[in-house]
Amino acid sequence: MINNIKMRLSVALLLFVVSGCSDNFLDLAPVSQLNGNSFYKTEEDIKNALTATYGALQAPGIYYSSMHVIGDLRSDDTWIPDPNAGANLQEVDQFKNNAFNTISSSTWSAHYQGIQSANIVIAKIADVQMETSAKARYIGEAKFLRALMYFNLVRIFGDVPLVLEVINNPSEGYAYGREAAGNVYEQIISDLKEAGAVLPGQIASAEIGRATRGAATALLGKVYLTRAQWDLAAQTLKALIDRGTYQLQPNYANLFGAANENSRESIFEVQFKKGSSGEGSPYTNQFAPIGSGTAVTGLGNPLGQNIPTDAIVAAYETGDLRKNASMQTTYTLNGNTVTHNYVAKYLGQPAANLDSDNNWIVLRYADVLLMYAEALNELGFEANGEAFLYLNQVRNRAGLASKTSNNSDPSLQIASQAAFRLAIEQERRIELAFEGHRWFDLVRTNRALAVLAPLGMKAHHVLLPIPQSQIEINPGVVTQNPGYN
């Protein structure tokens, strides 16, 4: 299976990957390395290749671990208090990671493996006989997944190789140097527009997990927001809101856990399934405190890899219903109460160690509402205007009072554009806590250094180092980010 592929990939050494046949489209079946030029002859072959592309998202270098390590651990929301949780993770947490750190290499390799798989679908489908609508949908899904993986890469590393064709042999990969981030973003936007034009607005329950028009639109809105293209972000996100496909869950706690997966609020989730040939998620065990035994996990080893900081504990307002659903500050072990912060969103009884049912939510509707409010504010602050409506929808669901521009309570007053920016930053931090957003939000708003300098961040840390292995494989073509030489 894709989770178990440990081989280090460079752009020059991309593998052919395609999953074995399965009855359910998103059964993430074991991956085989097959002849890329002769295998893809039927619709079933293409479907299996696309399944492998979805399966790539489960990889340790993507949503199995890397994206929350970078998105949360790199921020002020979580940390590693015990070095036994992993030296490579602690280096990322403390801004001490270098070009040899395995987080950079696994993130790079896993994303390019997924991109290769998406490119295979796009390239090979032309010669396969199938209904035109099915062909268009498969291409749309592959382009959505490719765009998502490039969006991760360009935010993490900056300029990255832009590979849009199948790498048929290692020598072809040496032609790819680092492409300007702006060009990578243009390709992401193009892929998402094309995907959004052909993907279905809604899907049957048997197809849960496949990309939809809403997923492409939400991600496109986030790309525009990241690029500070406020008008395009606002237009795109409002179009999604107006479709009425998604809605906030009445109870925040009902967003998380195996029983609540793929809800009306969820736009795109990475699917995991415990007890299914290693397709389970690791989060229950990864996020439990070291030394807690099975008091938190129920089964398996607690790894202590993503522990909430005291700073985020203090960031919750009194009465915020999201706090207990997101994290806990104590657990009971052998009849004794132990004070220790830990993430609660991903708790679930594992079938085995690192084998739970919890999905990873990549995009959800509350994120869309807050992004839209942010884009409106950047287009021009309006006292008690439309942006307040969407901000307060999210706050009210959490049991909190609305914020207004003329509130008598200073803690609920937003009297300027700058104050609204900070209010959105705070709301995103709490609403999306431990979902891998905080670091990327701070970087895209140019707030990372101001917030994280006391934790050791320097200006060049906005990007991670390019893996040293990539530079050694292709010297002079693949270069290092400033500050890591």
Side-chain angles (χ1 to χ4, degrees):
M1 56 161 291
I2 287 180
N3 285 356
N4 290 332
I5 292 177
K6 303 298 184 184
M7 185 175 296
R8 185 175 72 188
L9 286 179
S10 70
V11 174
L13 296 174
L14 289 166
L15 298 178
F16 299 119
V17 290
V18 64
S19 72
C21 296
S22 59
D23 295 328
N24 187 307
F25 187 86
L26 283 179
D27 282 345
L28 301 176
V31 172
S32 305
Q33 295 180 40
L34 300 174
N35 187 316
N37 292 316
S38 62
F39 178 73
Y40 307 95
K41 296 180 178 179
T42 69
E43 181 175 351
E44 191 69 16
D45 297 337
I46 293 296
K47 188 171 73 172
N48 289 330
L50 185 57
T51 301
T53 313
Y54 280 102
L57 300 178
Q58 288 186 316
I62 309 184
Y63 290 105
Y64 189 89
S65 57
S66 277
M67 292 308 295
H68 71 71
V69 168
I70 298 166
D72 290 330
L73 199 58
R74 189 78 160 172
S75 78
D76 53 343
D77 281 359
T78 66
W79 71 307
I80 290 186
D82 190 328
N84 291 322
N88 60 331
L89 303 179
Q90 195 169 60
E91 287 174 359
V92 174
D93 175 29
Q94 297 176 354
F95 298 99
K96 295 178 180 178
N97 56 305
N98 57 33
F100 297 93
N101 185 281
T102 58
I103 298 302
S104 280
S105 57
S106 65
T107 301
W108 181 284
S109 298
H111 279 83
Y112 275 111
Q113 180 173 318
I115 289 165
Q116 166 80 340
S117 188
N119 287 342
I120 287 173
V121 174
I122 295 165
K124 303 299 181 182
I125 199 170
D127 296 328
V128 176
Q129 295 297 314
M130 68 177 78
E131 289 186 4
T132 302
S133 59
K135 183 175 290 191
R137 183 179 179 183
Y138 292 154
I139 293 172
E141 289 178 85
K143 288 191 173 182
F144 167 80
L145 294 168
R146 183 170 71 180
L148 174 60
M149 287 183 274
Y150 269 122
F151 184 51
N152 289 342
L153 284 172
V154 74
R155 291 187 298 164
I156 293 167
F157 296 109
D159 300 349
V160 292
L162 184 59
V163 184
L164 303 176
E165 299 176 348
V166 178
I167 302 296
N168 292 298
N169 60 72
S171 63
E172 294 177 8
Y174 292 107
Y176 292 95
R178 297 179 67 184
E179 187 74 29
N183 294 337
V184 179
Y185 274 112
E186 287 305 311
Q187 183 61 48
I188 292 168
I189 291 168
S190 176
D191 277 354
L192 291 173
K193 285 181 175 180
E194 292 179 24
V198 297
L199 291 176
Q202 293 181 307
I203 55 178
S205 58
E207 297 179 324
I208 290 295
R210 296 179 71 174
T212 61
R213 184 184 309 130
T217 305
L219 185 57
L220 180 60
K222 180 162 284 194
V223 171
Y224 284 140
L225 200 76
T226 301
R227 300 280 287 160
Q229 294 175 282
W230 311 118
D231 54 345
L232 291 172
Q235 292 168 25
T236 302
L237 295 166
K238 186 59 162 60
L240 180 58
I241 292 168
D242 288 345
R243 287 178 200 160
T245 307
Y246 306 100
Q247 62 186 26
L248 293 179
Q249 286 282 81
N251 186 340
Y252 182 83
N254 288 346
L255 282 166
F256 309 103
N260 302 310
E261 294 170 351
N262 305 301
S263 71
R264 280 290 300 276
E265 183 167 339
S266 176
I267 299 174
F268 186 73
E269 298 185 15
V270 179
Q271 307 293 308
F272 289 93
K273 184 175 179 58
K274 71 179 180 181
S276 179
S277 301
E279 303 297 345
S281 60
Y283 314 124
T284 296
N285 297 108
Q286 281 181 339
F287 300 166
I290 288 178
S292 61
T294 58
V296 174
T297 65
L299 181 71
N301 299 323
L303 300 180
Q305 292 182 348
N306 204 34
I307 302 301
T309 61
D310 289 340
I312 194 169
V313 175
Y316 285 88
E317 297 171 57
T318 301
D320 193 325
L321 300 176
R322 296 170 294 194
K323 186 173 184 179
N324 287 341
S326 300
M327 59 167 297
Q328 295 290 313
T329 57
T330 64
Y331 61 88
T332 301
L333 182 64
N334 300 324
N336 299 314
T337 299
V338 180
T339 299
H340 199 298
N341 303 336
Y342 62 94
V343 175
K345 283 185 174 180
Y346 306 96
L347 293 178
Q349 180 65 37
N353 191 44
L354 303 173
D355 185 19
S356 293
D357 260 338
N358 297 295
N359 289 349
W360 188 267
I361 301 176
V362 178
L363 295 163
R364 59 183 176 91
Y365 190 54
D367 186 5
V368 168
L369 296 178
L370 293 174
M371 287 193 293
Y372 181 54
E374 180 179 343
L376 289 177
N377 182 61
E378 293 300 332
L379 288 171
F381 177 75
E382 180 184 351
N384 294 329
E386 188 181 9
F388 283 80
L389 172 66
Y390 293 97
L391 169 66
N392 288 326
Q393 280 187 37
V394 176
R395 287 181 56 78
N396 295 162
R397 195 260 299 268
L400 300 177
S402 296
K403 291 190 172 184
T404 63
S405 61
N406 55 352
N407 205 296
S408 59
D409 182 344
S411 69
L412 297 175
Q413 184 181 64
I414 306 175
S416 67
Q417 185 181 56
F420 199 97
R421 286 176 182 142
L422 292 178
I424 285 288
E425 179 182 301
Q426 162 69 9
E427 211 60 45
R428 289 185 63 81
R429 183 184 190 186
I430 299 304
E431 173 67 27
L432 303 170
F434 320 123
E435 296 178 43
H437 296 273
R438 174 65 169 172
W439 165 256
F440 297 108
D441 282 346
L442 290 174
V443 170
R444 70 173 175 78
T445 57
N446 296 314
R447 287 268 297 152
L449 193 59
V451 173
L452 302 175
L455 301 180
M457 181 183 175
K458 295 180 172 57
H460 71 275
H461 289 139
V462 293
L463 298 176
L464 264 64
I466 303 298
Q468 185 62 30
S469 58
Q470 305 307 309
I471 296 169
E472 292 174 354
I473 288 170
N474 213 356
V477 178
V478 177
T479 57
Q480 186 54 268
N481 279 327
Y484 291 106
N485 294 316

